[in-house]
Amino acid sequence: MRVPSWAGELARYAFLSLLVAWVLVPLAIATIYAFTPLEVYYSDAILPNSLTAEHLRTLWVLGAGEAFVRSVFVGVLTVFLSFLIGLPGGYALSRYVFPGRDAIKLGIIATRMFPIIVISVSLLKTFFALGLNDTLIGLALAHTAMALPFVVLITGSIFGGIPRDVEEAGLVFGLSSIGVFLRVTLPLAAPGLAAAGLFTFLLSWNEVFMASVLTLTNRTLPAFILVSAFATPTEPIRFAAAFLMILPALLFMLFARRYLVTMWAMAAR
Amino acid sequence: MASIMLEGIVKRFGKTVALRGVNLEVRDGEAMVLLGPSGCGKTTTLRIVAGLERPDEGRVVFGGRDVTNLPPKDRNVAMVFQSYALWPHMRVFDNIAFPLKIRKVESSEVRRRVRWAAELLEIEHLLDRYPHQLSGGQQQRVAVARAIVTEPEVLLMDEPLSNLDAILRVKMRSEIKKLQRRLGVTMVYVTHDQVEAMVIGDRVAVMNYGEVQQVGSPQEIYNEPANTFVATFIGSPQMNIVKGVISGGLLSLLGTQIEGVEGVEGEVLVGFRPERIVIGDGDLKFPAIVDFVEDLGSDVIVHLSVEGAGELVIAKLRGAHASLKPGEKVLAGVMRSDIHIFDPKTGRALKHGV
């Protein structure tokens, strides 16, 4: 018996629809209920007939605004620091063959074996000694440590995707090694690096364990939400908090989708 | 313009020795071709001249100036890469102009020079395009334009034609030769294609096993190969090499003999080129049986087995001999002047013409 061709297509689209729904339905629920008035939410209605920003305002009053700004600050600082340290490392790993190169690569991956929560506790002790406890710089340093392996490996792969002889042409035609890096390598790597940067920002943005352990009054958004919003019994407020958390990631995906594909493609070459 | 001297260049990569003492002089304004099979060290030699690799031993001298430890940018060289290595984020104009901009040449002069180079390579209409919008041949022209725009002392080419199709390759190799003559620039050109080497080189350096085997004009290399490697590497089909013995001026080979071979005694290797074999004529004649015939139209490649001697000889004959049939008996011959004698142990040439 032959299966008609439309049946295959139907099955394919049914599966894809399921997959998309699996991602989109929770997002939609969180977004809709974040703006649903309390009386509607606790009634029998499934969808609201009016929207309200009241829950976001409540979060704001509780301190979500400051937490948001802190998260952005920590995220930006994390990207800056991890690229400052990780970019040269990635370049060296991709371009130079030296003794112990593979061991170093393995070591970098191995650092990810330790659960972040374990590191956070011991870090707190150190941070007390250094006076970095409950500071955003301290948290950014911790996030840098967390993001560094990713930055080294992904930038290494991106640089590895740029042909060596394009750089050598730069050397032959009059540039120094640094000149080649700035005027040939970096422009070619820029799209991939931009995506890696945004990705690193999100790593920091989403990180909640270290943020909760290392800070008390200076909490970033996820840590703030964990202790305040999720402690409230009012569910729409939790949805509003979730919406606040998802928003930057969604915007990022929307704008950087093309670059993300480029980044992974460059890294996979 | 400058001459180039390589003195005792040794280069190792880990445990592999890529170059074992290369000595080479490239004269001012000369086109020198480095020719050899892959892995012979020709590209490494070129990269050492460019400054992209540092030699472990030896010196690189440009016109009396020791540049061994100078980075490429301080050598005033230009290079055409095998992959062209155009900068993908720049338009053709900027690719050609970039070496000038690095040297802080004034912008009106940059435009003038880019026009000049683009006209010479016939790529004026491509200046606004990006490299990925060009065909292989066009990219190649851009790479050459970029290399000549700064009027370098030394122009280096690393198998620049190997990625082109056959027709374009033949066209470009004569164009590159004319361009080099016209500019009078000292050129080092790397290739594994012997025809390309013969067309482009004023002189050719044949390399193998990280050493220069012979340096000479294309004629010298063809007519007076320094050893069996050069003899068999140059020419197609490759030179026939058979065993022979000389005693008292009498050379015995292929079941026949020839008198008056002076100056060498004992076992030798005897070489003669397939295209120098004639049927039914020659100073040295040997009977043979036709094994196999490859008809190329203009020429015929005939495989001959020599009776009694157990040797196989390849002959390249005029197309008129296409009627030869396998199994047919012929009398093949070679002129005295076309016979080369080599030392059987070292492979070194002892005599050209007997």
Side-chain angles (χ1 to χ4, degrees):
Chain A
M1 192 188 91
R2 278 197 51 189
V3 181
S5 63
W6 57 263
E9 285 290 285
L10 196 70
R12 205 162 74 92
Y13 279 107
F15 175 71
L16 288 177
S17 307
L18 204 68
L19 213 61
V20 170
W22 184 65
V23 175
L24 279 189
V25 168
L27 279 180
I29 290 176
T31 310
I32 292 166
Y33 289 146
F35 296 97
T36 303
L38 280 182
E39 62 276 14
V40 179
Y41 182 82
Y42 287 111
S43 72
D44 292 338
I46 294 174
L47 287 174
N49 46 15
S50 67
L51 296 175
T52 175
E54 179 197 340
H55 312 314
L56 283 177
R57 212 173 298 125
T58 309
L59 278 174
W60 196 266
V61 171
L62 286 172
E66 287 98 323
F68 193 100
V69 172
R70 275 184 227 122
S71 266
V72 171
F73 176 79
V74 171
V76 169
L77 195 59
T78 300
V79 172
F80 177 76
L81 289 175
S82 60
F83 271 65
L84 191 73
I85 305 167
L87 204 77
Y91 188 76
L93 279 180
S94 79
R95 279 296 184 252
Y96 299 103
V97 181
F98 50 88
R101 175 165 169 253
D102 292 339
I104 288 176
K105 266 192 172 174
L106 207 64
I108 289 170
I109 298 169
T111 58
R112 298 306 306 258
M113 289 194 311
F114 302 102
I116 278 170
I117 189 87
V118 174
I119 300 171
S120 312
V121 173
S122 48
L123 257 186
L124 185 62
K125 207 165 163 333
T126 315
F127 276 15
F128 267 120
L130 295 171
L132 283 171
N133 58 303
D134 202 16
T135 63
L136 296 181
I137 291 177
L139 184 58
L141 283 173
H143 281 179
T144 300
M146 172 189 74
L148 208 47
F150 164 78
V151 172
V152 171
L153 294 178
I154 200 77
T155 57
S157 303
I158 290 167
F159 287 130
I162 295 170
R164 184 81 182 108
D165 50 13
V166 170
E167 292 185 331
E168 288 181 340
L171 288 176
V172 165
F173 288 107
L175 290 172
S176 62
S177 304
I178 295 164
V180 165
F181 183 76
L182 293 177
R183 295 175 76 171
V184 176
T185 315
L186 219 45
L188 287 174
L193 293 181
L198 286 167
F199 203 85
T200 308
F201 179 84
L202 283 189
L203 280 183
S204 162
W205 177 269
N206 288 330
E207 199 288 318
V208 64
F209 285 121
M210 285 200 279
S212 311
V213 173
L214 296 178
T215 60
L216 195 62
T217 55
N218 278 320
R219 296 226 138 137
T220 54
L221 194 58
F224 163 80
I225 285 168
L226 198 66
V227 292
S228 56
F230 279 24
T232 155
T234 320
E235 282 175 3
I237 290 185
R238 297 191 194 178
F239 282 123
F243 174 75
L244 260 185
M245 276 305 297
I246 303 164
L247 192 62
L250 272 185
L251 288 176
F252 163 63
M253 287 294 176
L254 205 64
F255 289 115
R257 204 176 50 155
R258 229 166 49 105
Y259 292 116
L260 269 184
V261 173
T262 316
M263 176 182 84
W264 294 118
M266 282 174 97
R269 258 192 302 211
Chain B
M1 306 303 129
S3 63
I4 304 167
M5 280 281 278
L6 298 180
E7 295 172 5
I9 302 287
V10 174
K11 178 69 186 175
R12 300 180 198 92
F13 293 106
K15 285 188 183 123
T16 356
V17 185
L19 299 177
R20 358 179 143 245
V22 168
N23 295 295
L24 187 67
E25 187 196 353
V26 186
R27 296 168 194 146
D28 192 2
E30 180 181 46
M32 170 66 79
V33 175
L34 305 181
L35 173 68
S38 50
C40 73
K42 54 191 193 295
T43 295
T44 305
T45 307
L46 189 81
R47 289 171 61 82
I48 284 174
V49 174
L52 292 170
E53 304 279 357
R54 291 269 167 92
D56 293 314
E57 289 169 34
R59 298 202 315 150
V60 183
V61 181
F62 284 6
R65 185 169 64 114
D66 187 335
V67 298
T68 315
N69 292 312
L70 290 183
K73 70 182 177 69
D74 298 328
R75 296 190 178 200
N76 198 14
V77 295
M79 185 158 166
V80 177
F81 290 77
Q82 184 172 9
S83 63
Y84 315 136
L86 299 176
W87 296 300
H89 58 303
M90 297 181 197
R91 289 174 194 276
V92 168
F93 179 92
D94 296 308
N95 260 283
I96 302 173
F98 198 52
L100 297 169
K101 287 180 183 163
I102 294 168
R103 287 172 172 75
K104 309 234 183 306
V105 175
E106 196 200 333
S107 72
S108 62
E109 175 70 4
V110 169
R111 276 197 299 279
R112 199 185 63 75
R113 296 273 286 278
V114 173
R115 294 273 161 219
W116 167 79
E119 255 170 53
L120 216 53
L121 273 304
E122 297 166 17
I123 48 170
E124 303 107 301
H125 58 295
L126 303 174
L127 290 175
D128 287 334
R129 303 232 190 128
Y130 281 97
H132 68 88
Q133 297 169 314
L134 304 181
S135 70
Q138 290 170 333
Q139 290 186 26
Q140 217 266 339
R141 286 170 178 274
V142 175
V144 175
R146 178 177 67 175
I148 63 169
V149 78
T150 55
E151 294 178 9
E153 281 183 62
V154 171
L155 181 57
L156 305 173
M157 298 215 178
D158 184 10
E159 308 219 19
L161 304 182
S162 60
N163 291 335
L164 299 181
D165 65 58
I167 297 169
L168 211 50
R169 200 152 55 211
V170 171
K171 184 172 183 301
M172 275 312 283
R173 74 180 179 216
S174 53
E175 274 194 45
I176 285 178
K177 178 68 196 170
K178 280 184 215 154
L179 194 65
Q180 185 268 335
R181 282 261 167 81
R182 184 166 161 186
L183 301 174
V185 62
T186 309
M187 179 165 85
V188 182
Y189 187 107
V190 164
T191 183
H192 62 266
D193 180 338
Q194 48 162 310
V195 182
E196 215 170 286
M198 296 304 201
V199 172
I200 286 172
D202 294 323
R203 287 194 303 156
V204 177
V206 183
M207 294 186 69
N208 198 26
Y209 302 122
E211 283 170 341
V212 175
Q213 303 288 326
Q214 185 175 5
V215 185
S217 69
Q219 282 301 317
E220 279 165 4
I221 291 211
Y222 179 82
N223 290 326
E224 295 169 17
N227 53 39
T228 48
F229 173 77
V230 177
T232 52
F233 191 74
I234 304 291
S236 171
Q238 69 179 40
M239 183 186 278
N240 295 296
I241 306 254
V242 298
K243 289 192 186 111
V245 179
I246 304 174
S247 106
L250 190 69
L251 167 61
S252 315
L253 77 161
L254 298 172
T256 180
Q257 291 178 327
I258 185 165
E259 287 179 332
V261 182
E262 304 300 335
V264 187
E265 279 287 313
E267 291 190 0
V268 291
L269 291 174
V270 182
F272 47 90
R273 296 198 176 276
E275 59 270 31
R276 295 294 164 85
I277 293 180
V278 280
I279 297 295
D281 194 11
D283 302 323
L284 173 84
K285 293 197 201 56
F286 56 94
I289 296 173
V290 175
D291 249 4
F292 187 67
V293 180
E294 299 172 39
D295 189 353
L296 306 182
S298 63
D299 301 306
V300 211
I301 310 285
V302 183
H303 298 229
L304 301 168
S305 67
V306 181
E307 289 171 84
E311 300 257 21
L312 194 75
V313 169
I314 308 286
K316 187 177 178 184
L317 306 171
R318 306 296 305 172
H321 290 280
S323 57
L324 285 173
K325 291 279 174 298
E328 204 171 316
K329 286 188 180 179
V330 293
L331 193 64
V334 195
M335 303 299 287
R336 296 186 80 108
S337 58
D338 293 331
I339 295 173
H340 307 264
I341 308 286
F342 300 97
D343 185 313
K345 287 198 197 70
T346 63
R348 195 116 36 105
L350 302 172
K351 258 172 113 61
H352 299 292
V354 293

